[in-house]
Amino acid sequence: MEYSEIIYLINLVKSEDEIGNYIPSSETRTKCYAKKQSVKSGEYYNAIEVGLSPNCEFIIKKINYNGEEELEWNGERYQVIRTIDPKNKYDIVLVCEKKIGING
C-alpha cells in the first residue's frame, strides 16, 4: 500500500474571548501524504463503547505529525480521536471521526 492520499493536517489556534471562552481564531494547514485504511473491528467497537464513531484511519509518517486534532481529506473535515504507534518507528496511525456541523 502506498502513500497515495493527500490529507491536510489542521492546527487550530485558539484565543480567549472577553468572558474566558476559548474560540478558534485561526488555523494552519499542512499538506501530507497518507495511506487510508478501514477502522479495525476491535478499534471500532472500543470507540463505540465510549460514544465515538471512527470512520477511517490514515497512516502517515511520524515526522509529519505534530499533535494536530483535525484533518481534511477529499474536502471533508475529520477529528483525530486517537493515534496509534505501530511497530515500525517511522509511521503513526490517525484514527478519525467525520465532523458534522458548523466546522465539519
Side-chain angles (χ1 to χ4, degrees):
M1 192 181 335
E2 296 180 16
Y3 293 84
S4 59
E5 298 294 328
I6 296 174
I7 64 171
Y8 293 92
L9 298 171
I10 299 170
N11 185 27
L12 299 172
V13 178
K14 298 177 184 172
S15 61
E16 202 172 301
D17 66 9
E18 61 278 350
I19 59 172
N21 295 321
Y22 286 102
I23 54 172
S25 60
S26 67
E27 63 183 38
T28 57
R29 298 161 49 94
T30 306
K31 183 178 179 179
C32 181
Y33 289 92
K35 297 178 192 176
K36 182 184 179 292
Q37 65 184 21
S38 299
V39 177
K40 311 283 185 292
S41 60
E43 180 73 34
Y44 178 80
Y45 288 113
N46 288 338
I48 290 292
E49 286 180 3
V50 294
L52 301 172
S53 102
N55 301 96
C56 56
E57 295 179 350
F58 294 96
I59 302 171
I60 64 171
K61 294 297 179 188
K62 209 180 270 190
I63 195 166
N64 295 326
Y65 186 66
N66 294 307
E68 291 88 351
E69 297 175 359
E70 294 185 11
L71 63 86
E72 186 176 306
W73 174 67
N74 282 349
E76 296 184 338
R77 215 58 186 248
Y78 290 83
Q79 179 79 34
V80 177
I81 58 175
R82 177 173 137 87
T83 59
I84 302 170
D85 205 357
K87 291 186 171 134
N88 81 42
K89 61 184 176 181
Y90 302 109
D91 294 331
I92 190 164
V93 179
L94 308 177
V95 180
C96 300
E97 170 178 57
K98 191 180 217 181
K99 286 189 74 171
I100 300 171
I102 296 171
N103 294 324

